[in-house]
């Protein structure tokens, strides 16, 4: 299905993905094969939105696609460019806030999709709780990943309990920002402004039914 995404937004995502591949290539040339594998895996993860579009028949806004790519690019450059060390601890917190906002927005759009399909009835508090738990869960999984990598490969992705807890607090802050935004949207009944950008219309629906515009302007009078 064709998604109503901005060509400029799509190109920006492609540029970020290209930079991630460039980071992988530079890591190979520098003999940092583990970083190269990590960067390549990050690139593959940035393709998840397009795979969702093809397999689940969804359209995510180009901003979400871009945020996913930017989140992984920040993480990759933190290691390849050693920004996690030279700009510690601020760069790490930047990576977490961008990633948590991205996860929160994805959770919000999934909630909107579930409501559109008649699976749930959205309320502001429930939406906020769902977003917060999703961002915290993603943050916890990430910290477990860092702990496992440190134990297996002897790296220093985690710098102690304070570092881990501060990361989770930043994740909570990012989730709270999106949760507050989503709660306001739901309270104002403006979910339709976002649903039309990412969800495929029901079978047999007219384009005007999806976009909220009448086929004939005279019929709306």
């Amino acid at each position: 299905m064709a998604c109503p995404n901005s060509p400029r937004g799509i190109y920006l995502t492609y540029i970020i993905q290209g930079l991630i591949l460039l980071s992988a290539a530079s890591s190979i040339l520098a003999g940092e094969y583990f970083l190269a594998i990590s960067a390549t895996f990050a690139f593959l993860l940035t393709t998840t939105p397009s795979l969702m579009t093809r397999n689940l028949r969804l359209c995510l806004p180009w901003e979400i696609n871009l945020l996913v790519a930017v989140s992984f690019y920040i993480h990759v450059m933190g290691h390849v460019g050693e920004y996690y060390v030279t700009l510690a601890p601020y760069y790490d917190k930047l990576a977490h806030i961008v990633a948590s906002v991205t996860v929160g927005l994805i959770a919000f759009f999934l909630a909107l999709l579930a409501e559109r399909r008649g699976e749930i009835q959205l309320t502001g508090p429930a939406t906020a709780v769902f977003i917060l738990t999703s961002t915290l869960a993603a943050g916890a999984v990430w910290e477990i990943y860092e702990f496992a990598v440190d134990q297996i490969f002897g790296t220093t992705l985690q710098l102690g309990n304070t570092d881990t807890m501060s990361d989770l607090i930043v994740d909570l802050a990012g989730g709270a920002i999106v949760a507050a935004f989503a709660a306001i949207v739901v309270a104002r009944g403006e979910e339709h402004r976002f649903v039309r950008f990412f969800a495929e219309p029901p079978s047999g629906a007219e384009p005007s039914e999806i976009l909220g515009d009448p086929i004939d302007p005279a019929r709306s009078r």
Side-chain angles (χ1 to χ4, degrees), residues 100 103-105 107-108 124-140 168-180 182-183:
S100 60
V103 172
L105 286 173
F108 179 40
T127 305
V129 170
F130 176 65
I131 291 172
L132 287 174
T133 54
S134 297
T135 53
L136 280 177
L168 291 175
I169 291 172
V170 173
D171 292 337
L172 177 61
I177 293 172
V178 180

Side-chain angles (χ1 to χ4, degrees), residues 5-195:
N5 282 327
S6 165
R8 292 183 180 180
I10 295 175
Y11 294 146
L12 282 174
T13 302
Y14 289 161
I15 290 172
I16 299 299
Q17 290 175 323
L19 291 175
I20 294 175
L21 287 178
L22 185 61
S23 299
S26 65
S27 297
I28 293 176
L29 294 176
E32 298 287 349
Y33 301 113
F34 180 77
L35 290 182
I37 293 174
S38 298
T40 302
F41 184 63
F43 166 77
L44 293 176
L45 289 176
T46 64
T47 64
T48 301
S50 62
L51 293 177
M52 288 177 59
T53 297
R54 294 176 184 176
N55 299 330
L56 300 181
R57 302 179 67 81
L58 299 176
C59 278
L60 290 172
W62 68 266
E63 292 89 347
I64 297 294
N65 299 328
L66 180 60
L67 275 174
V68 169
V70 169
S71 296
F72 282 109
Y73 177 66
I74 290 175
H75 171 66
V76 168
M77 288 307 299
H79 291 297
V80 175
E82 299 184 344
Y83 297 135
Y84 280 136
V85 177
T86 58
L87 299 178
Y90 308 107
Y91 190 87
D92 181 45
K93 305 317 172 196
L94 170 65
H96 276 272
I97 195 71
V98 174
S100 60
V101 167
T102 302
V103 172
L105 286 173
I106 292 174
F108 179 40
F109 279 99
L110 290 177
L112 289 174
L113 176 61
E115 183 189 47
R116 185 175 185 273
R117 291 183 172 178
E119 299 172 0
I120 63 171
Q121 180 65 43
L122 282 186
T123 64
T127 305
V129 170
F130 176 65
I131 291 172
L132 287 174
T133 54
S134 297
T135 53
L136 280 177
V141 169
W142 184 261
E143 295 303 323
I144 292 172
Y145 154 76
E146 290 187 336
F147 175 78
V149 171
D150 285 348
Q151 297 302 309
I152 296 173
F153 299 102
T155 55
T156 56
L157 299 179
Q158 290 186 327
L159 302 177
N161 182 66
T162 300
D163 176 63
T164 300
M165 290 299 102
S166 61
D167 287 346
L168 291 175
I169 291 172
V170 173
D171 292 337
L172 177 61
I177 293 172
V178 180
F181 168 75
I184 293 173
V185 169
V186 173
R188 293 181 176 178
E190 298 179 347
E191 303 96 316
H192 64 281
R193 299 192 175 209
F194 300 89
V195 171

